[in-house]
Structures are given as structure tokens and as C-alpha cells.
Amino acid sequence: MKPHIIVIGSANTDLVVRVPKLPRSGETITGEQFQIVAGGKGANQAVAAVRAGARVTFIANIGQDSFGDAALRGLRREGINARYVVRSKTRASGVALILVDARGENLIAVARGSNDELLPRHIDAAQPAIRAARCVVVQLEISLTTVRRAVELAVRHAIPVLLNPAPARRVPISLLRQATFLTPNESELAALTGLPTKRKSEVEAAARRLHALGVKQVLATCGARGVCWSSAAGTRWFPAWKVKAVDTVGAGDCFSGTLAATVADGKSIEQAIRFAIAAAAICVTRPGAQTSMPTRREILRDSAFAGIDF
Ligand code: RIB
């Protein structure tokens, strides 16, 4: 039986232009290709989790427009339960304008649109599903009040919560404390703590600051430097794979979605981190957000090539 997880968050349509280099303010850069790809941190994490082997219920607010129709069709095609996806009558679907350069680095601007209209009552309506889940996954691309309600309900039913604090924004510590797993990248960790996170020792110190405030487990995703897993009991680094990145959009989502699916499957956190690192490594070698999420079979195959046994 596949583990059931709930993902609550944004669904966007990503409008992507590949450019040789990212423009400075006021500069025009000419790119070659334009692509429309399914994205949004919530939807990306739902797709990553379902491909990693979980049964996923996704809770989101999508506009009643052609982007929204396509997003919903895509989720259903993946086998994601979209029963609790609501459709806004007043706001357009979320859109992200994305530039990706030759090294795979990106710039993103998001129009949140209908994502802002995912309300606490929509989370309440999904309570029966939340109660029966093995993990609840949530990010910060929706209203904070809604995030709070999602976490509150999960905690009430003793369901582990993975909170991906992305995009970076101010979050009350009381909310961070309720998460079982917090998965910031370096800049999100810096935004949460007000501390530098350029060096490994700084990442560890920033995570320690969060533990001192009552945060349980931090899994800081630090790109090529790997993942720093820390709790009040100590810190451990897991190395990243050496790969040639073509597009890093969605890599953090891939990590969080895969991690949640693996933990919900009863694996240890160490195994789940290794599996999620492998998934994210594959993700960055492919273009697009949801298009780049690997399947469980691909993760197992590439891990076997790399001599890693799960
Ligand atoms: O994390 C990547 C995602 O951020 C993109 O898919 C884009 O939609 C933005 O939400």
C-alpha cells in the first residue's frame, strides 16, 4: 500500500525563457526558446512525491482559465487526487515568469493570483483526508493564515509536517516550531534567522539558532555543498551529487516532495535524505519544473549507477 501524503500549496504556470545570462536591472537579454511548463511550489512537490511513489492528495486554488484547466489536467494525469482543488471565480491562475541562464541559474517573478484565495475553510474541508495521511507538506506561496491552519490541523491529528519555507518570507517562530521537518535553502535559512549562511559553519550556526527557539529538525538544502540535517542532538552533512545542471528550477521542490514520500513510506530520515538528494540531482539535469521530476524507478536506476543502494 502506497503511503498517503497531503500537499497543500500553490499551482502556477511557468513561462520560461532560456537566456545566455541573466539580465541586470534595465538590461534586455535575447533568448532562444520559450516554454510553458507546469509549476508552482505546491504542485511541483505533489508531482515529485507521486513520482517518488506516494499516493498524493493536493489542496490548492486554481483559476477558471486555460492555464488552470491545463494545470488540473496535468495533476490528474499524474494520478494526484485533486478532489480538494478549488477553482477561483475572481482571480486568474498563478503565473511565474522565469529566466534560466546557460549555467542553469534562474530569476523568478510570481503573480500569485488564485493561490492567494486558498483559505483556511478549504483546508478544513479536507480534514478527513488530512487525518488519514502519513505526512502533510506545505510551503509559503499561499497565505500564511492558510499555512497556519494546515499545520494546526496536522498537529492536532499527530501527522508529521514538512514545512518548506519558500519563497523566503517572515514566519512566526510558533509556526516553525510546529513543523517536524523544515527544508529551507541557504537564502531562506538566512531570511528566517537573519544570519549569514554562505559557509557550512554558518549554515550550522543558523540551524542551531532555530533549534534554540524550539525548531525540531532542519534540512538545509545547500546546492552543490549538499544537505545539512540538524536537530538539537547534532548536525550531519550529506553530500550532493556532482552533475551538470541545466535548470535548477524546482530542485528544492523535488527534494521536499521526495523526502516526504520516502519518510511517509517508513524509511529512516537518513535514507530519505539520500533518496531526495538523488532525485534533486536528476531534476537539475532536465529543463522545467514538473517536467524534470524523476520517477522512483529513475531514482533507483541512477542511484544504482552511482553505487548507492537503497
Ligand atoms: O520552486 C519553483 C517554482 O517557484 C516554480 O515552478 C514557480 O512556479 C515558482 O512558484
Side-chain angles (χ1 to χ4, degrees):
M1 184 70 166
K2 291 181 171 185
H4 183 206
I5 75 168
I6 309 283
V7 181
I8 299 164
S10 56
N12 294 332
T13 300
D14 292 352
L15 307 181
V16 187
V17 178
R18 293 198 73 96
V19 288
K21 67 179 183 83
L22 299 176
R24 289 187 309 271
S25 171
E27 188 184 12
T28 299
I29 297 281
T30 313
E32 280 169 22
Q33 302 166 31
F34 166 68
Q35 275 181 313
I36 299 182
V37 188
K41 294 184 190 301
N44 294 348
Q45 293 178 20
V47 169
V50 84
R51 291 193 188 166
R55 191 158 61 86
V56 176
T57 296
F58 183 47
I59 305 175
N61 191 325
I62 292 178
Q64 291 187 356
D65 44 32
S66 56
F67 279 166
D69 292 344
L72 201 53
R73 267 199 310 275
L75 294 166
R76 292 200 171 118
R77 222 175 14 243
E78 293 287 340
I80 291 168
N81 176 3
R83 178 173 166 196
Y84 298 105
V85 172
V86 292
R87 309 287 305 262
S88 171
K89 290 195 179 75
T90 51
R91 302 281 293 269
S93 296
V95 169
L97 300 182
I98 303 184
L99 300 180
V100 181
D101 74 8
R103 293 176 308 151
E105 297 300 325
N106 59 67
L107 275 182
I108 305 183
V110 176
R112 291 192 306 269
S114 58
N115 293 306
D116 273 349
E117 289 195 342
L118 183 67
L119 303 175
R121 68 183 156 86
H122 299 131
I123 310 300
D124 292 345
Q127 196 164 170
I130 293 174
R131 207 170 27 215
R134 293 251 192 97
C135 186
V136 166
V137 178
V138 65
Q139 331 70 34
L140 304 178
E141 217 169 33
I142 54 173
S143 122
L144 215 49
T145 321
T146 307
V147 172
R148 232 191 249 124
R149 179 64 61 93
V151 173
E152 217 171 79
L153 279 190
V155 169
R156 187 184 303 162
H157 298 297
I159 312 299
V161 173
L162 185 153
L163 172 59
N164 173 229
R169 59 195 278 193
R170 287 181 75 86
V171 185
I173 191 71
S174 55
L175 179 62
L176 301 180
R177 264 192 215 124
Q178 287 180 296
T180 319
F181 307 107
L182 197 67
T183 57
N185 65 18
E186 302 112 309
S187 48
E188 290 147 6
L189 182 60
L192 289 177
T193 59
L195 294 173
T197 53
K198 286 218 167 62
R199 300 161 191 270
K200 277 184 160 185
S201 57
E202 293 173 338
V203 169
E204 293 171 15
R208 274 200 303 275
R209 166 76 57 91
L210 291 175
H211 300 317
L213 296 170
V215 174
K216 299 178 192 85
Q217 297 185 69
V218 176
L219 296 104
T221 53
C222 302
R225 289 181 300 164
V227 171
C228 176
W229 170 44
S230 82
S231 67
T235 299
R236 182 163 160 200
W237 282 88
F238 291 76
W241 287 22
K242 287 196 174 59
V243 290
K244 187 170 165 15
V246 303
D247 183 349
T248 56
V249 175
D253 300 330
C254 181
F255 180 85
S256 287
T258 308
L259 186 90
T262 317
V263 166
D265 196 27
K267 301 289 186 292
S268 70
I269 185 69
E270 291 93 333
Q271 279 175 308
I273 293 171
R274 285 201 196 89
F275 203 64
I277 287 177
I282 299 172
C283 172
V284 301
T285 63
R286 303 164 167 178
Q290 284 168 40
T291 42
S292 66
M293 302 300 167
T295 61
R296 180 177 164 75
R297 181 187 290 229
E298 288 172 322
I299 303 168
L300 288 171
R301 185 199 59 202
D302 284 19
S303 300
F305 277 138
I308 301 166
D309 201 15
F310 284 109

